[in-house]
Amino acid sequence: MKKVRLGIIGLGYVGKIHLSHALKLENAQVIGVADISRRALSDARKQGVKKTFSDYEQLLKEPDFDAVIIGLPTHLHRDCAIRAFEAGKDVFLEKPIARNVKEAKEIATAARESSAKLMVGYPQRFNPIFCELKRKINCCELGDVEIADATYVSSGPFFHRAVDQAPSPVPEWWFDKESTGGGALMDLGCHLINLLRWYFGEVADIRSHLGYRYNIDLEDHAICIVQFEHGTTAIMNVGWFSQVFQLKVDLLGSVANASAEHRPENHLVTAAKMFTLGNSRFLYPHLAELHYFSDCVIKGVKPSPSGEDGLKDLEAIDLAYKNTIDLRV
Amino acid sequence: MSSVSFVKIQKNTVASTRRAIGEALNLVDYSFKKEIRNVVIKPNLCYYWDYSTGQTTDPRFVQALIDLLREKIVPNPNISIVEADASAMKCRHAFKFLGYEKLAKNNVKLVNLSEDRSDPVAVRVGRHIAELRVPRTIRDADLRINVPKIKYIPGQIKITCALKNIFGCNPYPKKIRLHPQLEVAIVATNKAMRFELCIVDGNIVSGVQPRRLGLVMASEDSVAIDTAAARIAGLNSNLRYLRIASHEGIGNMSFVPKGEPLEYFKARYPQQSSKDKLLGIAYKMVVHMRLGKRLGLE
């Protein structure tokens, strides 16, 4: 069986998640990784990665790689992705595609012009429970979905604030709007926008209320009302304030209703599943998206969510930032 | 023997909290000296958890204390709210995210002890000698007030309250290097930096989950406060670090309770159930065997 030769650029929080999953893929092989942290590279070597680079440019020059997974901070996405396309690599780019619409367009255009494949990382698109909702919508089991209610709250960049998580420093770039392009709406909202666009098509209009519980320059929570072109109205709640992870979608249709909730399992259950099955239900979507991406590379198929999807998600979020309603008294 | 007061906050407002603090101080016969000009307040800021989690001192509680200080000492004393950087927490972010920046006006300043000038000291605790640094802001204060939380933490010391909060004054951010000898390090820090007064923000406490307890505790004795906190949390208060602290002359493990009965708050404290305890032991075993690391969970 042909295997995609993968490189991973960026071994921060999400990069490590991608590395651990990529190492389990049967249709891909992790050839090398790049990061500025010596410790991260050393850890990767211990996991069996043969080639390590302190500069991603060196990795991109190597002919041994078919594709790269980019898990860098958002402000570095554009330059790295464009350099990867120029080097002839297919790209799996962590969400959000970029920190603003302009950069997202540049990335999508560069991908198109290079004929390289570009996939934006939205693991929930590969989550069986959300795929089941998509099936129900497609089969008209719910009738016309008039209202959708989507919620994604977590501790956001404050991983250690979550229940049972060990303290770990938060990288400074998280608090810099120039680096991230936005707060919770950008970070978590893009997941929900992408999922809802997958279900209901393009966004016609969007309004938002942004909240600032933690006095950060970026919003730490947001509520959006989204009108889709085909008629569905969605309410979207996102927040970085919660110690508990909650990702939930409720669909209210003219025939039936449906709900799906992605929630972490108990530590012991997770450990048991990791031990016996090699993966847990909670982490499965991350594995599935990389497996799908590698399959697309092998078969020469354009992956979805594509760069254009990532751009449209960002356009919707950009509109939400412009159309804010201030409810504070 | 030291006195420890227990007072219930009647309403969740700054004014009601100020009254409760005042009553708690009256019960232990504490009165502020009029000549005090420089006051240090040490809240417990723990990572970026806010007051609602019970992990960090509520800035409104500190505001109530500041209001009381202005009433009892002089209208405008120099007040420094102090905290030090920690392995995973930067003070400048914590002050901002947790709402302390709003307090920094009218002679109230926020001091990052990790950036403060400090002097080296060697402190003996039993046969150990701890090399620490004492920040000048703490050294030069006329009055040092410790405003900790009550937190149950499984592990070495079990209860985080007055003595552990002062451990946070160590300016060196990577305090984890002191953790192998945590009990000794806590006692040494309290010997090096003596806080004259302790007022516990027990409005929301952290046990197996946060809960509003509406408690203010006050004492001039940090060891007595921690002994009382351990009892409220349903623990055997004969904890090793308290015995060491008592032996080193920081305070007494026995105390005279004043005000509301301790049992009233103990009955409402969110204690662990037997199931929680069993799960905790199982989880500790997973961590101890490094299963999480081996399975890629960490």
Side-chain angles (χ1 to χ4, degrees), chain B residues 7-286:
Chain B
V7 174
K8 194 166 185 330
I9 301 171
Q10 295 302 329
K11 285 183 189 170
N12 193 26
T13 62
V14 172
S16 184
T17 306
R18 185 176 64 175
R19 276 194 295 278
I21 296 171
E23 193 186 332
L25 294 175
N26 287 339
L27 284 168
V28 293
D29 296 324
Y30 186 86
S31 54
F32 294 103
K33 291 174 185 153
K34 288 283 179 191
E35 61 270 23
I36 287 168
R37 289 294 173 272
N38 299 307
V39 182
V40 157
I41 297 174
K42 168 66 172 76
N44 185 342
L45 305 188
C46 182
Y47 314 114
Y48 308 121
W49 282 298
D50 75 5
Y51 72 93
S52 67
T53 64
Q55 298 280 346
T56 52
T57 306
D58 191 335
R60 291 168 300 184
F61 191 94
V62 175
Q63 179 63 65
L65 174 60
I66 291 169
D67 291 348
L68 189 76
L69 288 169
R70 287 186 174 137
E71 186 186 305
K72 299 283 182 185
I73 306 172
V74 284
N76 225 6
N78 299 315
I79 296 172
S80 301
I81 299 172
V82 302
E83 185 54 274
D85 288 340
S87 307
M89 181 193 83
K90 291 194 172 163
C91 263
R92 65 191 166 92
H93 290 324
F95 283 140
K96 185 176 183 179
F97 298 170
L98 304 181
Y100 278 81
E101 276 191 355
K102 291 171 189 163
L103 303 182
K105 56 191 177 192
N106 303 332
N107 255 11
V108 177
K109 60 178 179 177
L110 307 174
V111 178
N112 179 353
L113 297 174
S114 299
E115 294 169 358
D116 198 17
R117 291 178 67 192
S118 60
D119 302 301
V121 289
V123 185
R124 179 179 283 279
V125 176
R127 57 190 170 80
H128 302 276
I129 294 179
E131 308 273 346
L132 303 172
R133 296 192 74 88
V134 177
R136 294 267 173 98
T137 302
I138 291 180
R139 188 198 69 179
D140 298 340
D142 304 320
L143 174 64
R144 288 155 280 256
I145 307 174
N146 183 4
V147 190
K149 298 294 295 179
I150 306 176
K151 294 185 273 186
Y152 166 75
I153 42 165
Q156 210 173 346
I157 62 166
K158 295 206 180 334
I159 193 87
T160 284
C161 194
L163 295 171
K164 175 68 163 51
N165 191 35
I166 301 309
F167 174 71
C169 292
N170 277 301
Y172 187 67
K174 295 200 182 297
K175 294 181 219 341
I176 198 143
R177 78 189 170 107
L178 300 167
H179 276 225
Q181 298 260 339
L182 184 59
E183 291 158 324
V184 169
I186 288 172
V187 174
T189 311
N190 278 272
K191 281 185 87 172
M193 301 176 219
R194 294 288 184 133
F195 277 62
E196 290 84 2
L197 182 59
C198 180
I199 304 168
V200 177
D201 169 12
N203 193 18
I204 296 175
V205 293
S206 171
V208 284
Q209 74 271 335
R211 185 170 296 167
R212 188 180 301 284
L213 210 57
L215 165 68
V216 174
M217 266 202 294
S219 180
E220 293 176 76
D221 185 336
S222 295
V223 180
I225 282 270
D226 277 13
T227 307
R231 286 188 198 163
I232 287 172
L235 300 169
N236 178 353
S237 57
N238 190 24
L239 297 167
R240 185 168 174 260
Y241 86 100
L242 292 179
R243 291 200 306 273
I244 300 170
S246 177
H247 187 258
E248 293 292 328
I250 294 171
N252 296 302
M253 287 175 69
S254 50
F255 61 88
V256 178
K258 301 278 181 76
E260 299 277 347
L262 184 150
E263 294 302 322
Y264 171 86
F265 299 103
K266 182 180 175 181
R268 285 158 180 78
Y269 189 88
Q271 293 176 25
Q272 278 193 313
S273 65
S274 304
K275 184 186 157 200
D276 290 331
K277 283 176 187 167
L278 275 174
L279 280 173
I281 292 166
Y283 182 57
K284 258 192 269 180
M285 283 170 67
V286 169

Side-chain angles (χ1 to χ4, degrees), chain A residues 161 172 213 215 243 274, chain B residues 49-50 92 96-97 295:
Chain A
R161 207 163 60 192
E172 288 290 312
R213 178 181 174 87
N215 314 299
Q243 289 194 290
M274 293 291 283
Chain B
W49 282 298
D50 75 5
R92 65 191 166 92
K96 185 176 183 179
F97 298 170
L295 297 172

Side-chain angles (χ1 to χ4, degrees), chain A residues 260-275:
Chain A
E261 183 170 1
H262 182 58
R263 62 169 71 178
E265 292 160 305
N266 177 295
H267 281 301
L268 294 174
V269 173
T270 304
K273 285 193 176 175
M274 293 291 283
F275 193 68

